[in-house]
Amino acid sequence: MTKLLVVYHSKTGGSRQMAEAAAKAAEAETPTTLLAAADAGPDDLLAADGYIFCAPENLAAIAGVMKDFFDRCYYPVLGRIEGRPYAQMVCAGSDGENAKRQTARIAQGWRLKEVQSAIIVCTHAQTPEETLAEKTIPEKELALCRDLGAAMGAGLSMGMF
Ligand SMILES: Cc1cc2nc3c(=O)[nH]c(=O)nc-3n(C[C@H](O)[C@H](O)[C@H](O)COP(=O)(O)O)c2cc1C
């Protein structure tokens, strides 16, 4: 049976809510593992048939813990996961495009296949207080994450990718 891995990092809860929504919807379609980036490694990538990556944009880049996950895993799995499907979600205060670009570039290096357009959820956090506060992702945007997860799960279980 095909398996989906959802890897996320989150400091103030936004990306975690997005990843949980996607993983729960995917689980209804195919076995799905949800892992925090700090706890995920090469073996988790090798054990899965497809991936969803979800992280905040920090300082115009992928949040460091997520980048560390990619750094730790890049060479151990290089050439061993080629062609597998992936999608990504970014939680951002105002932009998110650079984090999206970086993840897409890493995935391209691994020769993963992007099977759904990236989702960027903007929390509109501007001030330091807003930025450091716990986030609540609105239902409308969680629904987009659920749709992405369900489509990944269904596509994997039906062998569409
Ligand atoms: C140190 C730091 C830097 C940030 N830099 C950016 C940025 O460059 N672009 C952006 O859109 N949001 C930026 N943000 C806002 C976060 O992306 C936003 O708060 C998001 O909700 C964090 O996701 P999380 O709730 O999963 O931790 C930054 C936040 C922090 C703490």
Side-chain angles (χ1 to χ4, degrees):
M1 199 175 260
T2 52
K3 284 181 272 182
L4 176 66
L5 173 67
V6 181
V7 182
Y8 74 96
H9 171 66
S10 185
K11 189 168 167 57
T12 54
S15 307
R16 178 178 48 72
Q17 291 157 41
M18 293 166 64
E20 286 173 351
K24 194 169 175 201
E27 180 67 42
E29 308 290 341
T30 203
T32 299
T33 302
L34 175 67
L35 283 179
D39 300 328
D43 289 346
D44 301 301
L45 286 166
L46 293 172
D49 303 287
Y51 314 106
I52 296 173
F53 304 117
C54 179
E57 176 168 281
N58 281 0
L59 306 177
I62 310 167
V65 177
M66 192 73 178
K67 179 64 163 42
D68 175 66
F69 159 74
F70 286 127
D71 289 349
R72 285 186 289 107
C73 294
Y74 190 79
Y75 284 106
V77 307
L78 187 63
R80 303 169 73 189
I81 58 172
E82 289 186 5
R84 296 185 192 179
Y86 90 98
Q88 65 157 313
M89 306 188 295
V90 177
C91 191
S94 56
D95 186 356
E97 289 292 337
N98 277 328
K100 176 179 127 180
R101 238 187 322 272
Q102 283 185 316
T103 295
R105 183 68 191 84
I106 292 162
Q108 187 185 11
W110 273 336
R111 303 285 185 266
L112 298 180
K113 185 166 61 172
E114 186 175 42
V115 294
Q116 289 191 71
S117 301
I119 291 176
I120 297 179
V121 169
C122 184
T123 57
H124 304 286
Q126 299 295 337
T127 65
E129 290 75 18
E130 288 168 350
T131 299
L132 296 175
E134 271 302 295
K135 305 295 182 295
T136 301
I137 304 300
E139 173 54 33
K140 196 170 143 208
E141 284 161 327
L142 287 180
L144 296 176
C145 302
R146 274 188 219 109
D147 288 347
L148 182 144
M152 279 296 288
L156 275 173
S157 72
M158 288 189 282
M160 274 174 57
F161 307 130

